[in-house]
Amino acid sequence: MFSFLSKRSNIMLGLDISSTSVKLLELSRSGGKYRVESYGVEPLPENSVIEKNISDVEGVGEAIQRLIARSKTKVKLAAVAVAGSAVITRTIEMPSNLNDAQLEESLRSEADQYIPYPLEEVALDFEVRGPSPRSEEQVEVLLAACRRENVEMRQAALEIGGLKAKVVDIEAHCMQRAFDLVREQFTGEGGEDQVIAIIDIGATMTTLSVLTNSGTPYTREQLFGGKQLTEEIQRRYSLSVEEAGLAKKQGGLPDDYETEVLQPFKEAVVQQVTRSLQFFYSSSTHDDVDHIILAGGTASIEGLGDMVAAKLGTPTSIANPFVNMSLSPKVNEVGLHNDAPALMIACGLAMRSFD
């Protein structure tokens, strides 16, 4: 069994391997307060991760190596995540009198009913969720399964980078964990009952996670991301990928950029958000959400949150899990603030140290 869900208690780096970069975050905790000890973002070679699958282990491993050197962290254990779309989860009922070893054996013998791959190709984990509402003699168990190669590729890249993968988590669960830090920033009374949509707009993929108080978040991934803006800048102004990426972050583009390139892209983001929420409404009993949180690198685009709020009529915030954290002197405060929306998954992973 792999540790998608189980609890661990050593300090681990949160290491988020996305399509275009690796993000690292190290947290410490004292008296319930978190402190950022180190963080960093390192670009990946082009196409080394395609739709959240590693295709160039060496390239990703070397990027991790550079990131470790630059962030000056001494921690050698890490938590990484696989995309929700790569994981099959099922809630099943099992007898409540089984211990963990018996549960594991029993789940292994029954797993082929729930998993559409040969079991030798699959990494499995489970978590007891609590008593079954239907029978006192049963407990609800969350079973998580992922293709073994997805996990092994990540382990191999970390090893090249000089790290050991201690935990493999699921992105949606990391997002939910980091969201608990963000929740208190905007929910008043009754915050626990609110339906919150987190829209994580990465380079190539947009992931909607809807958190309700019913436990497991609803998630849906769509192919859309900030890379489309980079490619449009590249095409229109005849720049390389690196130049376009830098110009997008640092500015210095011609005067028509705002109206001709950025505005249409922001409108496309709003359409994407609307479409993602429509899918959620059509597959649930909800027809509204109380709050939208924008995360991912694209969320940093100025004015995007206001535009989403105006078009959808729903309060919208930009994710920043670090608002109530202290920072180590070696952490660049401005850099961390700018990268905050893109560090939600890394933050949720780093928090696994304190489960």
Side-chain angles (χ1 to χ4, degrees):
M1 289 263 175
F2 275 74
S3 39
F4 289 124
L5 308 162
S6 51
K7 298 189 185 307
R8 292 287 181 271
S9 61
N10 285 350
I11 288 293
M12 295 178 288
L13 300 171
L15 206 73
D16 175 21
I17 301 169
S18 69
S19 318
T20 55
S21 64
V22 183
K23 303 169 192 81
L24 172 151
L25 185 69
E26 178 190 349
L27 296 178
S28 62
R29 189 168 73 170
S30 166
K33 282 281 186 192
Y34 290 102
R35 170 176 143 124
V36 180
E37 296 296 343
S38 57
Y39 108 97
V41 180
E42 180 70 25
L44 284 170
E46 210 176 343
N47 297 327
S48 53
V49 176
I50 297 169
E51 287 176 31
K52 305 209 175 177
N53 294 316
I54 295 177
S55 53
D56 172 8
V57 174
E58 201 100 337
V60 174
E62 286 164 4
I64 293 170
Q65 213 168 25
R66 291 192 295 275
L67 192 49
I68 296 292
R70 215 177 61 241
S71 66
K72 299 184 171 59
T73 179
K74 300 286 186 285
V75 178
K76 293 296 178 200
L77 298 176
V80 290
V82 289
S85 56
V87 181
I88 294 166
T89 54
R90 295 277 185 277
T91 300
I92 53 184
E93 299 203 342
M94 303 294 282
S96 57
N97 58 358
L98 299 181
N99 64 29
D100 276 3
Q102 292 167 323
L103 253 182
E104 182 171 330
E105 199 175 315
S106 190
L107 284 168
R108 280 209 170 279
S109 62
E110 290 186 31
D112 56 359
Q113 296 175 43
Y114 309 103
I115 312 300
Y117 313 120
L119 281 188
E120 61 274 12
E121 293 177 14
V122 170
L124 289 174
D125 196 15
F126 70 91
E127 178 181 85
V128 177
R129 281 291 170 94
S132 159
R134 284 164 289 283
S135 161
E136 287 176 14
E137 283 148 30
Q138 303 277 100
V139 285
E140 286 192 338
V141 178
L142 178 67
L143 177 69
C146 173
R147 292 296 283 266
R148 194 174 282 274
E149 64 183 4
N150 268 342
V151 174
E152 288 171 350
M153 291 281 229
R154 280 163 172 73
Q155 288 175 317
L158 262 67
E159 271 170 37
I160 293 169
L163 297 174
K164 184 178 189 303
K166 177 95 167 156
V167 162
V168 181
D169 208 327
I170 301 165
E171 285 184 358
H173 291 207
C174 302
M175 192 59 94
Q176 187 162 19
R177 209 173 295 117
F179 168 71
D180 287 339
L181 299 174
V182 177
R183 184 197 295 271
E184 61 215 35
Q185 295 168 30
F186 63 86
T187 53
E189 291 299 308
E192 292 299 314
D193 299 326
Q194 292 198 335
V195 179
I196 310 293
I198 302 177
I199 296 166
D200 183 10
I201 310 161
T204 58
M205 199 83 85
T206 293
T207 307
L208 166 69
S209 305
V210 182
L211 309 180
T212 62
N213 55 4
S214 65
T216 313
Y218 164 94
T219 60
R220 182 184 172 84
E221 291 175 355
Q222 286 180 283
L223 271 174
F224 175 85
K227 196 174 177 189
Q228 284 167 241
L229 177 57
T230 311
E231 285 168 353
E232 183 57 23
I233 292 170
Q234 209 186 327
R235 192 185 63 75
R236 185 174 283 256
Y237 304 115
S238 305
L239 301 174
S240 70
V241 178
E242 290 76 18
E243 289 167 341
L246 269 176
K248 182 169 88 170
K249 272 194 161 178
Q250 296 172 1
L253 284 161
D255 293 346
D256 68 350
Y257 168 65
E258 290 279 331
T259 52
E260 298 294 313
V261 180
L262 187 59
Q263 191 61 23
F265 176 74
K266 282 157 76 168
E267 283 162 11
V269 171
V270 174
Q271 274 186 337
Q272 206 62 35
V273 170
T274 308
R275 194 174 301 148
S276 296
L277 289 170
Q278 290 302 339
F279 276 117
F280 166 65
Y281 300 145
S282 64
S283 62
S284 76
T285 54
H286 297 279
D287 56 9
D288 200 5
V289 295
D290 296 301
H291 204 103
I292 294 169
I293 309 276
L294 296 181
T298 303
S300 302
I301 292 175
E302 204 174 324
L304 188 59
D306 295 340
M307 193 167 164
V308 169
K311 288 278 167 73
L312 277 81
T314 304
T316 302
S317 307
I318 307 300
N320 182 352
F322 308 114
V323 167
N324 297 318
M325 292 191 193
S326 58
L327 309 182
S328 145
K330 68 177 179 180
V331 171
N332 175 336
E333 188 172 351
V334 174
L336 182 69
H337 179 78
N338 291 340
D339 287 326
L343 290 167
M344 287 286 280
I345 289 171
C347 184
L349 284 166
M351 288 168 75
R352 286 297 298 265
S353 301
F354 314 104
D355 282 354

